[in-house]
PDB file of all heavy atoms in Angstrom:
ATOM      1  N   GLY A 855       0.818  26.071   2.347  1.00 45.00           N
ATOM      2  CA  GLY A 855      -0.116  25.147   2.921  1.00 45.00           C
ATOM      3  C   GLY A 855       0.230  24.912   4.353  1.00 45.00           C
ATOM      4  O   GLY A 855       0.947  25.598   5.053  1.00 45.00           O
ATOM      5  N   CYS A 856      -0.225  23.821   4.907  1.00 41.00           N
ATOM      6  CA  CYS A 856      -0.084  23.366   6.305  1.00 41.00           C
ATOM      7  C   CYS A 856       1.364  23.026   6.521  1.00 41.00           C
ATOM      8  O   CYS A 856       2.010  22.447   5.694  1.00 41.00           O
ATOM      9  CB  CYS A 856      -0.911  22.155   6.624  1.00 41.00           C
ATOM     10  SG  CYS A 856      -2.688  22.496   6.833  1.00 41.00           S
ATOM     11  N   ALA A 857       1.893  23.440   7.686  1.00 41.00           N
ATOM     12  CA  ALA A 857       3.299  23.150   8.095  1.00 41.00           C
ATOM     13  C   ALA A 857       3.301  21.794   8.754  1.00 41.00           C
ATOM     14  O   ALA A 857       3.567  21.719   9.931  1.00 41.00           O
ATOM     15  CB  ALA A 857       3.719  24.262   9.023  1.00 41.00           C
ATOM     16  N   ILE A 858       3.077  20.707   8.063  1.00 34.00           N
ATOM     17  CA  ILE A 858       3.058  19.371   8.673  1.00 34.00           C
ATOM     18  C   ILE A 858       4.180  18.531   8.185  1.00 34.00           C
ATOM     19  O   ILE A 858       4.211  17.307   8.348  1.00 34.00           O
ATOM     20  CB  ILE A 858       1.726  18.655   8.381  1.00 34.00           C
ATOM     21  CG1 ILE A 858       1.512  18.589   6.846  1.00 34.00           C
ATOM     22  CG2 ILE A 858       0.601  19.410   9.025  1.00 34.00           C
ATOM     23  CD1 ILE A 858       0.204  17.794   6.516  1.00 34.00           C
ATOM     24  N   GLY A 859       5.211  19.168   7.548  1.00 41.00           N
ATOM     25  CA  GLY A 859       6.364  18.319   7.129  1.00 41.00           C
ATOM     26  C   GLY A 859       6.741  18.555   5.754  1.00 41.00           C
ATOM     27  O   GLY A 859       6.041  19.289   4.988  1.00 41.00           O
ATOM     28  N   SER A 860       7.774  17.923   5.293  1.00 45.00           N
ATOM     29  CA  SER A 860       8.303  18.111   3.945  1.00 45.00           C
ATOM     30  C   SER A 860       7.369  17.477   2.904  1.00 45.00           C
ATOM     31  O   SER A 860       7.076  16.281   3.029  1.00 45.00           O
ATOM     32  CB  SER A 860       9.739  17.450   3.849  1.00 45.00           C
ATOM     33  OG  SER A 860      10.257  17.564   2.529  1.00 45.00           O
ATOM     34  N   ARG A 861       6.980  18.243   1.946  1.00 49.00           N
ATOM     35  CA  ARG A 861       6.116  17.739   0.868  1.00 49.00           C
ATOM     36  C   ARG A 861       6.733  18.247  -0.429  1.00 49.00           C
ATOM     37  O   ARG A 861       6.108  19.180  -1.111  1.00 49.00           O
ATOM     38  CB  ARG A 861       4.665  18.097   1.114  1.00 49.00           C
ATOM     39  CG  ARG A 861       4.133  17.555   2.331  1.00 49.00           C
ATOM     40  CD  ARG A 861       2.663  17.646   2.421  1.00 49.00           C
ATOM     41  NE  ARG A 861       2.115  18.953   2.648  1.00 49.00           N
ATOM     42  CZ  ARG A 861       0.831  19.237   2.819  1.00 49.00           C
ATOM     43  NH1 ARG A 861      -0.115  18.213   2.744  1.00 49.00           N
ATOM     44  NH2 ARG A 861       0.458  20.466   2.960  1.00 49.00           N
ATOM     45  N   PRO A 862       7.847  17.742  -0.887  1.00 69.00           N
ATOM     46  CA  PRO A 862       8.532  18.382  -2.003  1.00 69.00           C
ATOM     47  C   PRO A 862       7.765  18.100  -3.343  1.00 69.00           C
ATOM     48  O   PRO A 862       7.029  17.079  -3.418  1.00 69.00           O
ATOM     49  CB  PRO A 862       9.958  17.725  -2.030  1.00 69.00           C
ATOM     50  CG  PRO A 862       9.736  16.362  -1.258  1.00 69.00           C
ATOM     51  CD  PRO A 862       8.627  16.672  -0.294  1.00 69.00           C
ATOM     52  N   VAL A 863       7.993  18.956  -4.292  1.00 86.00           N
ATOM     53  CA  VAL A 863       7.290  18.858  -5.587  1.00 86.00           C
ATOM     54  C   VAL A 863       8.335  18.267  -6.716  1.00 86.00           C
ATOM     55  O   VAL A 863       7.938  18.249  -7.882  1.00 86.00           O
ATOM     56  CB  VAL A 863       6.699  20.172  -6.071  1.00 86.00           C
ATOM     57  CG1 VAL A 863       5.715  20.654  -5.110  1.00 86.00           C
ATOM     58  CG2 VAL A 863       7.861  21.196  -6.251  1.00 86.00           C
ATOM     59  N   ASP A 864       9.457  17.723  -6.268  1.00 87.00           N
ATOM     60  CA  ASP A 864      10.394  17.197  -7.208  1.00 87.00           C
ATOM     61  C   ASP A 864       9.825  16.076  -8.086  1.00 87.00           C
ATOM     62  O   ASP A 864      10.216  15.945  -9.211  1.00 87.00           O
ATOM     63  CB  ASP A 864      11.698  16.827  -6.527  1.00 87.00           C
ATOM     64  CG  ASP A 864      11.534  15.713  -5.503  1.00 87.00           C
ATOM     65  OD1 ASP A 864      10.732  15.907  -4.573  1.00 87.00           O
ATOM     66  OD2 ASP A 864      12.137  14.687  -5.592  1.00 87.00           O
ATOM     67  N   LEU A 865       8.961  15.292  -7.405  1.00 91.00           N
ATOM     68  CA  LEU A 865       8.348  14.167  -8.257  1.00 91.00           C
ATOM     69  C   LEU A 865       7.491  14.622  -9.288  1.00 91.00           C
ATOM     70  O   LEU A 865       7.444  14.000 -10.435  1.00 91.00           O
ATOM     71  CB  LEU A 865       7.622  13.218  -7.270  1.00 91.00           C
ATOM     72  CG  LEU A 865       8.398  12.528  -6.194  1.00 91.00           C
ATOM     73  CD1 LEU A 865       7.558  11.717  -5.308  1.00 91.00           C
ATOM     74  CD2 LEU A 865       9.580  11.690  -6.842  1.00 91.00           C
ATOM     75  N   HIS A 866       6.769  15.801  -8.975  1.00 93.00           N
ATOM     76  CA  HIS A 866       6.008  16.397 -10.064  1.00 93.00           C
ATOM     77  C   HIS A 866       6.875  16.853 -11.259  1.00 93.00           C
ATOM     78  O   HIS A 866       6.626  16.597 -12.396  1.00 93.00           O
ATOM     79  CB  HIS A 866       5.248  17.627  -9.593  1.00 93.00           C
ATOM     80  CG  HIS A 866       4.401  17.377  -8.342  1.00 93.00           C
ATOM     81  ND1 HIS A 866       3.045  17.745  -8.335  1.00 93.00           N
ATOM     82  CD2 HIS A 866       4.701  16.859  -7.098  1.00 93.00           C
ATOM     83  CE1 HIS A 866       2.628  17.451  -7.142  1.00 93.00           C
ATOM     84  NE2 HIS A 866       3.548  16.964  -6.413  1.00 93.00           N
ATOM     85  N   LEU A 867       7.982  17.477 -10.931  1.00 92.00           N
ATOM     86  CA  LEU A 867       8.817  18.076 -11.920  1.00 92.00           C
ATOM     87  C   LEU A 867       9.569  17.042 -12.787  1.00 92.00           C
ATOM     88  O   LEU A 867       9.687  17.194 -13.975  1.00 92.00           O
ATOM     89  CB  LEU A 867       9.758  19.074 -11.196  1.00 92.00           C
ATOM     90  CG  LEU A 867       9.163  20.247 -10.337  1.00 92.00           C
ATOM     91  CD1 LEU A 867      10.242  21.104  -9.868  1.00 92.00           C
ATOM     92  CD2 LEU A 867       8.008  20.929 -11.052  1.00 92.00           C
ATOM     93  N   ARG A 868      10.057  16.013 -12.041  1.00 93.00           N
ATOM     94  CA  ARG A 868      10.784  14.957 -12.782  1.00 93.00           C
ATOM     95  C   ARG A 868       9.804  14.277 -13.797  1.00 93.00           C
ATOM     96  O   ARG A 868      10.264  13.863 -14.830  1.00 93.00           O
ATOM     97  CB  ARG A 868      11.435  14.006 -11.815  1.00 93.00           C
ATOM     98  CG  ARG A 868      12.554  14.571 -11.066  1.00 93.00           C
ATOM     99  CD  ARG A 868      13.554  13.422 -10.647  1.00 93.00           C
ATOM    100  NE  ARG A 868      12.932  12.457  -9.777  1.00 93.00           N
ATOM    101  CZ  ARG A 868      12.962  12.343  -8.469  1.00 93.00           C
ATOM    102  NH1 ARG A 868      13.593  13.404  -7.863  1.00 93.00           N
ATOM    103  NH2 ARG A 868      12.447  11.394  -7.850  1.00 93.00           N
ATOM    104  N   GLY A 869       8.552  14.112 -13.335  1.00 96.00           N
ATOM    105  CA  GLY A 869       7.617  13.420 -14.221  1.00 96.00           C
ATOM    106  C   GLY A 869       7.332  14.317 -15.437  1.00 96.00           C
ATOM    107  O   GLY A 869       7.228  13.706 -16.602  1.00 96.00           O
ATOM    108  N   LEU A 870       7.169  15.573 -15.247  1.00 97.00           N
ATOM    109  CA  LEU A 870       6.869  16.485 -16.442  1.00 97.00           C
ATOM    110  C   LEU A 870       8.067  16.503 -17.360  1.00 97.00           C
ATOM    111  O   LEU A 870       7.909  16.550 -18.613  1.00 97.00           O
ATOM    112  CB  LEU A 870       6.517  17.826 -15.883  1.00 97.00           C
ATOM    113  CG  LEU A 870       5.156  17.924 -15.279  1.00 97.00           C
ATOM    114  CD1 LEU A 870       5.002  19.343 -14.671  1.00 97.00           C
ATOM    115  CD2 LEU A 870       4.035  17.732 -16.297  1.00 97.00           C
ATOM    116  N   GLU A 871       9.297  16.496 -16.779  1.00 96.00           N
ATOM    117  CA  GLU A 871      10.539  16.515 -17.651  1.00 96.00           C
ATOM    118  C   GLU A 871      10.582  15.154 -18.442  1.00 96.00           C
ATOM    119  O   GLU A 871      10.970  15.178 -19.567  1.00 96.00           O
ATOM    120  CB  GLU A 871      11.735  16.657 -16.717  1.00 96.00           C
ATOM    121  CG  GLU A 871      11.984  18.058 -16.233  1.00 96.00           C
ATOM    122  CD  GLU A 871      13.198  18.161 -15.355  1.00 96.00           C
ATOM    123  OE1 GLU A 871      13.592  17.211 -14.627  1.00 96.00           O
ATOM    124  OE2 GLU A 871      13.881  19.184 -15.499  1.00 96.00           O
ATOM    125  N   ALA A 872      10.218  14.093 -17.779  1.00 98.00           N
ATOM    126  CA  ALA A 872      10.158  12.860 -18.535  1.00 98.00           C
ATOM    127  C   ALA A 872       9.218  12.850 -19.676  1.00 98.00           C
ATOM    128  O   ALA A 872       9.385  12.146 -20.741  1.00 98.00           O
ATOM    129  CB  ALA A 872       9.830  11.629 -17.584  1.00 98.00           C
ATOM    130  N   MET A 873       8.200  13.689 -19.630  1.00 98.00           N
ATOM    131  CA  MET A 873       7.250  13.859 -20.661  1.00 98.00           C
ATOM    132  C   MET A 873       7.637  14.978 -21.691  1.00 98.00           C
ATOM    133  O   MET A 873       6.815  15.280 -22.572  1.00 98.00           O
ATOM    134  CB  MET A 873       5.858  14.139 -20.151  1.00 98.00           C
ATOM    135  CG  MET A 873       5.313  13.040 -19.259  1.00 98.00           C
ATOM    136  SD  MET A 873       3.830  13.482 -18.333  1.00 98.00           S
ATOM    137  CE  MET A 873       2.640  13.454 -19.582  1.00 98.00           C
ATOM    138  N   GLY A 874       8.794  15.546 -21.511  1.00 98.00           N
ATOM    139  CA  GLY A 874       9.307  16.434 -22.508  1.00 98.00           C
ATOM    140  C   GLY A 874       9.190  17.916 -22.146  1.00 98.00           C
ATOM    141  O   GLY A 874       9.576  18.750 -22.892  1.00 98.00           O
ATOM    142  N   ALA A 875       8.704  18.240 -20.965  1.00 98.00           N
ATOM    143  CA  ALA A 875       8.628  19.596 -20.597  1.00 98.00           C
ATOM    144  C   ALA A 875      10.032  20.113 -20.108  1.00 98.00           C
ATOM    145  O   ALA A 875      10.761  19.394 -19.519  1.00 98.00           O
ATOM    146  CB  ALA A 875       7.626  19.748 -19.419  1.00 98.00           C
ATOM    147  N   LYS A 876      10.264  21.421 -20.349  1.00 98.00           N
ATOM    148  CA  LYS A 876      11.483  22.050 -19.822  1.00 98.00           C
ATOM    149  C   LYS A 876      11.074  22.747 -18.533  1.00 98.00           C
ATOM    150  O   LYS A 876      10.163  23.536 -18.513  1.00 98.00           O
ATOM    151  CB  LYS A 876      11.992  23.081 -20.814  1.00 98.00           C
ATOM    152  CG  LYS A 876      13.209  23.781 -20.398  1.00 98.00           C
ATOM    153  CD  LYS A 876      13.700  24.808 -21.428  1.00 98.00           C
ATOM    154  CE  LYS A 876      14.905  25.589 -20.884  1.00 98.00           C
ATOM    155  NZ  LYS A 876      15.348  26.624 -21.806  1.00 98.00           N
ATOM    156  N   ILE A 877      11.785  22.508 -17.427  1.00 94.00           N
ATOM    157  CA  ILE A 877      11.500  22.954 -16.165  1.00 94.00           C
ATOM    158  C   ILE A 877      12.626  23.974 -15.696  1.00 94.00           C
ATOM    159  O   ILE A 877      13.737  23.605 -15.722  1.00 94.00           O
ATOM    160  CB  ILE A 877      11.305  21.862 -15.136  1.00 94.00           C
ATOM    161  CG1 ILE A 877      10.276  20.815 -15.574  1.00 94.00           C
ATOM    162  CG2 ILE A 877      10.977  22.443 -13.748  1.00 94.00           C
ATOM    163  CD1 ILE A 877       8.811  21.337 -15.569  1.00 94.00           C
ATOM    164  N   ASP A 878      12.233  25.074 -15.269  1.00 93.00           N
ATOM    165  CA  ASP A 878      13.201  25.984 -14.642  1.00 93.00           C
ATOM    166  C   ASP A 878      12.568  26.502 -13.326  1.00 93.00           C
ATOM    167  O   ASP A 878      11.443  27.061 -13.389  1.00 93.00           O
ATOM    168  CB  ASP A 878      13.457  27.125 -15.630  1.00 93.00           C
ATOM    169  CG  ASP A 878      14.619  28.093 -15.151  1.00 93.00           C
ATOM    170  OD1 ASP A 878      15.346  27.645 -14.276  1.00 93.00           O
ATOM    171  OD2 ASP A 878      14.634  29.262 -15.672  1.00 93.00           O
ATOM    172  N   VAL A 879      13.375  26.410 -12.320  1.00 88.00           N
ATOM    173  CA  VAL A 879      12.807  26.936 -10.906  1.00 88.00           C
ATOM    174  C   VAL A 879      13.666  28.199 -10.689  1.00 88.00           C
ATOM    175  O   VAL A 879      14.911  28.097 -10.475  1.00 88.00           O
ATOM    176  CB  VAL A 879      13.068  25.939  -9.878  1.00 88.00           C
ATOM    177  CG1 VAL A 879      12.503  26.534  -8.521  1.00 88.00           C
ATOM    178  CG2 VAL A 879      12.208  24.715 -10.173  1.00 88.00           C
ATOM    179  N   THR A 880      12.994  29.283 -10.692  1.00 86.00           N
ATOM    180  CA  THR A 880      13.729  30.609 -10.497  1.00 86.00           C
ATOM    181  C   THR A 880      12.908  31.600  -9.886  1.00 86.00           C
ATOM    182  O   THR A 880      11.667  31.650 -10.089  1.00 86.00           O
ATOM    183  CB  THR A 880      14.232  31.191 -11.901  1.00 86.00           C
ATOM    184  OG1 THR A 880      14.930  32.412 -11.699  1.00 86.00           O
ATOM    185  CG2 THR A 880      13.074  31.330 -12.849  1.00 86.00           C
ATOM    186  N   GLY A 881      13.499  32.463  -8.946  1.00 84.00           N
ATOM    187  CA  GLY A 881      12.726  33.396  -8.280  1.00 84.00           C
ATOM    188  C   GLY A 881      11.559  32.962  -7.507  1.00 84.00           C
ATOM    189  O   GLY A 881      10.492  33.670  -7.298  1.00 84.00           O
ATOM    190  N   GLY A 882      11.563  31.696  -7.028  1.00 84.00           N
ATOM    191  CA  GLY A 882      10.464  31.178  -6.267  1.00 84.00           C
ATOM    192  C   GLY A 882       9.289  30.638  -7.086  1.00 84.00           C
ATOM    193  O   GLY A 882       8.299  30.244  -6.628  1.00 84.00           O
ATOM    194  N   ASN A 883       9.557  30.576  -8.442  1.00 89.00           N
ATOM    195  CA  ASN A 883       8.543  30.097  -9.387  1.00 89.00           C
ATOM    196  C   ASN A 883       9.000  28.880 -10.060  1.00 89.00           C
ATOM    197  O   ASN A 883      10.178  28.742 -10.382  1.00 89.00           O
ATOM    198  CB  ASN A 883       8.140  31.163 -10.455  1.00 89.00           C
ATOM    199  CG  ASN A 883       7.451  32.368  -9.841  1.00 89.00           C
ATOM    200  OD1 ASN A 883       6.668  32.181  -8.974  1.00 89.00           O
ATOM    201  ND2 ASN A 883       7.751  33.599 -10.264  1.00 89.00           N
ATOM    202  N   ILE A 884       8.024  28.024 -10.457  1.00 92.00           N
ATOM    203  CA  ILE A 884       8.346  26.926 -11.281  1.00 92.00           C
ATOM    204  C   ILE A 884       7.808  27.303 -12.686  1.00 92.00           C
ATOM    205  O   ILE A 884       6.653  27.670 -12.903  1.00 92.00           O
ATOM    206  CB  ILE A 884       7.567  25.584 -10.900  1.00 92.00           C
ATOM    207  CG1 ILE A 884       7.900  25.213  -9.465  1.00 92.00           C
ATOM    208  CG2 ILE A 884       7.755  24.540 -11.898  1.00 92.00           C
ATOM    209  CD1 ILE A 884       6.928  24.182  -8.870  1.00 92.00           C
ATOM    210  N   VAL A 885       8.686  27.319 -13.638  1.00 95.00           N
ATOM    211  CA  VAL A 885       8.369  27.690 -15.092  1.00 95.00           C
ATOM    212  C   VAL A 885       8.505  26.435 -15.914  1.00 95.00           C
ATOM    213  O   VAL A 885       9.578  25.965 -16.007  1.00 95.00           O
ATOM    214  CB  VAL A 885       9.325  28.833 -15.566  1.00 95.00           C
ATOM    215  CG1 VAL A 885       8.881  29.180 -17.022  1.00 95.00           C
ATOM    216  CG2 VAL A 885       9.258  30.052 -14.658  1.00 95.00           C
ATOM    217  N   ALA A 886       7.386  26.003 -16.453  1.00 96.00           N
ATOM    218  CA  ALA A 886       7.319  24.799 -17.250  1.00 96.00           C
ATOM    219  C   ALA A 886       6.939  25.128 -18.668  1.00 96.00           C
ATOM    220  O   ALA A 886       5.857  25.812 -18.800  1.00 96.00           O
ATOM    221  CB  ALA A 886       6.427  23.779 -16.687  1.00 96.00           C
ATOM    222  N   THR A 887       7.612  24.710 -19.649  1.00 98.00           N
ATOM    223  CA  THR A 887       7.299  24.948 -21.020  1.00 98.00           C
ATOM    224  C   THR A 887       7.390  23.691 -21.878  1.00 98.00           C
ATOM    225  O   THR A 887       8.212  22.777 -21.527  1.00 98.00           O
ATOM    226  CB  THR A 887       8.092  26.069 -21.664  1.00 98.00           C
ATOM    227  OG1 THR A 887       9.504  25.710 -21.539  1.00 98.00           O
ATOM    228  CG2 THR A 887       7.916  27.386 -20.957  1.00 98.00           C
TER     229      THR A 887
END
Side-chain angles (χ1 to χ4, degrees):
C856 287
I858 57 175
S860 175
R861 300 196 284 186
V863 298
D864 59 305
L865 297 178
H866 305 232
L867 305 186
R868 290 209 300 265
L870 289 172
E871 285 180 323
M873 298 170 73
K876 180 182 178 182
I877 305 292
D878 187 20
V879 180
T880 179
N883 291 322
I884 302 166
V885 181
T887 56

